[in-house]
Amino acid sequence: MSGTDDAAEREALLGKLTLREKVRLLTGATTWRTRAEPALGLREMVLSDGPAGVRGQSWDERDPALLLPSASALGALWDEETVERLGGLLAAEARRKGVDVVLAPTLNLHRTPLGGRHFECFSEDPELTGRTGAALVRGIQARGVAATAKHYVANDSETDRLTVDVRMSERVLREVYLAPFEAAVEAGVRVVMAGYNGVDGATMTASPLLDDPLKGEWGFDGVVVSDWGAVRDGEPAARAALDLAMPGPEGVWGEALVRAVEEGRVPREAVDDKVRRLLALAATCGALGEPEGAPEAPSFPGGLPVPPPPLSTAHPQPESGRLPSVTASEPRPDSPWVPVPVPMSMSASEPRPDPACSPAAGSDPHPQSESPCVPSGPLSEVQPSCVPSEPEPSCAPAVPVSVSGPQSEPVCAPSAPEPTPSGIGRDRARALLREAVAASTVLLRNRGVLPLDPARLRTVAVIGAHAVLPRTQGGGSAGVFPERVVTPLDGIRDALGDGVRVLHVPGPSTGAPAPSLTPDLCTDPVTGDPGVRLRVLDEAGRELITEHRLGGRQLEPPLPPGAQTVEIAAVLLPRTSGPWTLGVGGFGRLSLEVDQHVVLKGQFDKETDDPAAVHVNPPVHGVPVHLTAGRSVRVVARRELAPGTGRATVVTAAPPRPDDGPALAGAVRAARAADAVIVVVGTTEQAESEGCDRTDLGLGGRQDELVQAVTGAAPHTVVVVNSGGPVELPWRARAGAVLLTWFPGQEGGAGLADVLFGRAEPGGRLPTTWPAALADAPVTRTRPENGHLDYTEGLHIGYRAWARHDREPAYWFGHGLGFTTWAYEGLRVPDDIVAGEPFTVRVDVRNTGPRRGREVVQVYLAGPPGPPARPERWLAGYTSVSAEPGERATVSVRIPPRALRHWAEDAHAWRTRPGAYRVLAGSSAGALPLTATALVRAVG
């Protein structure tokens, strides 16, 4: 019964399991796999982080992934069709990497601009977040991959996130924070992840909210999985509606749960329900097939699977390519969380076919010995994908350092064929990502500078460190190694060609931490290839593993039995003379040698249990070392392993920091001499990363001074902001144009160039309100007091709070300009609106500008007067329209019944109050020129 989806058959399978076998299934087999039960035909299911890309089971730069724009950029699309297509791309990547469950989307809200993980969340508004998240769920799951709605619920900030107890009223919880998850359940999401935090006294992995409203009222029939390591008390979590504890193989359930069931403290039916849900998920993902020992069914000649369907019938995709086999000689742990060896008898690197397009009925496309997850064979056979050489970090000399023209070839290790997502060609995938960059880019301000006309340009000055070292993704567990990165400088040069001189000036330091070693800066001391030498040693210093790697950020070095020390060695090739800053990151006993001289040695104890710090972004300890340009040195970093401290090991190198004064002067000279000036500024990983909230909204370093100086010299300057969330822009009124690109993913530079030179319109609209200064923001508190974080602002977050306090932000929620202008000319509402039923609002708009464009028409509601208190206005619906110059269009905006309802705490139920509601339409929460009154009557 390959692809079993019959509930009765699954119930029969459940009846074959003993209690101990059932409980065994409820904890992961490894960090990223569930347990198999061959007697049932149940294989392991593989989970992988999202939402910016599908990393797979390991942090390995030799296994890159497509890197999407950040979730905040997807929120800026206000376009469910494009989000759904991007979800399909994530699913294709999941199939290529043998992944069954993608841990995305993140449905937490931008409650405060200081949230450190803004980039991973869509917006500040529950309606926009819910619709965007539902679209991503549909796109992922249309290809037989399960999506995961996370982090249920109120995990909206990072400070003390493992222990914080969030307090709010029942009404606020229902109307604001649970609403996006309810939308995901309505979209059919198959997995929901319970967060680390607590809500109103109960940790989420044992919260009654898992049972109701999630599984009860909403009818969620999927699996509730814990965030990794979030289950701390086994029996309450078992009695609650948590189904799967991750990671494995160790956990709080196991034999303790067996005893609790046998002794009557946990109902046996609770365990059965959890297993029943896991079997249903496995059936949906194609992980439930013929039991072990069943007769072999016939298959197609050669065992060829039917190709997976295209992402959309309207957009057929070319046949995909296929990755070469990747092999490994030693068991490599699956994750930074728990060092668990992977049995190397399991191997396959073939893409996993869609269940709906599986081989002949009855055949098992995934026998247990051929799990498509883990590489096998000697590591020396791995051929990494070609990684373009990166320019010198942002501390390069403050003079024009590069001129466009013939470009040198990238310095690469030998390359294998480029990875191609299953079911969509590489070029098509990159084109979609490029399209998404332009569509999510928000034009905040434009004084007639954009778009730039390439025919009128002879010299273009590109200024700023982020132009060559952009932030393509946020920091933390959702990171991936991108298959390539198109920087802003790359994109601009490619768009203009050889006929335009493009100068790059890095400007002053951004204050960013030193980057890890990259292949353009160092070579393997054994082979001489670009990259580093990774070794794992035992207690006596004997070599257990040695292998070539591409960079100095090794989050999951292999840990064979007896591993005691991780060593990373490289021959560093400095391009500038002076005091370099070299560093080593990790916990425990660390050392750093330069040409056999010890320059750093000490014991650096772990100061936090936060997984993001322990396993992904360990603290780096640096030391200045004088190096001479052109004279290579051998750098050796060592980290001794200790229980509970992870194994991530990082080696960093930063060139001498230039004098900021000459750096600013060089930028001004370049700006004055250029026909067009583009300044790229942004945040650093210190400011926007999992595990910590922000303390301010500054750009860092002297970037604001850089923009002030350049715009003073060249008022036509275009400023590009590279951040995942709001930053202060004190110079915005001086700039000729301001573009927000978020963390744009791997094709960021290409999409940016499309916007700069008018090949595409900037389609983004703000998914969150941007304050002019942090002091103006109505909601800023992220730090708990006595373990509690009280959401005292109630319903009023984001634009709702700004409207309530009658404050004017720098840019309202929904704001975004295009290359044309629009007039709002008419608003019509139905005469008869019945509570509990949808209705349609019609808005007349006219393109009053010089070119075709797209407008996002937004409809808000207000009122009726009297109790219960409501926000000043709230988003009720939106849709987009495109029109030619001078064309008038009528837009129909559907308003769902939920837009009118409120949660009645006395009745613990939804209610819709009859009366007169104001309907407001416009281009943002702060620009609503059209108003009408809608009369809502009670049912009957």
Side-chain angles (χ1 to χ4, degrees), residues 125-139:
D125 181 77
E127 177 71 11
L128 179 59
T129 296
R131 286 179 58 171
T132 306
L136 197 70
V137 167
R138 290 193 299 269

Side-chain angles (χ1 to χ4, degrees), residues 42 44 96 163 167 202 256 392 413 607 622 674 740 759 777 883 937:
L42 175 66
E44 296 170 319
R96 179 175 70 84
T163 57
R167 302 290 179 91
E392 191 77 6
E607 297 180 351
L740 170 60
R759 295 175 180 173
R937 63 178 175 84

Side-chain angles (χ1 to χ4, degrees), residues 828-847:
R828 296 184 299 282
V829 300
D831 295 330
D832 184 40
I833 300 174
V834 180
E837 296 183 6
F839 63 96
T840 299
V841 171
R842 290 176 172 81
V843 183
D844 300 323
V845 296
R846 186 184 301 276
N847 182 346

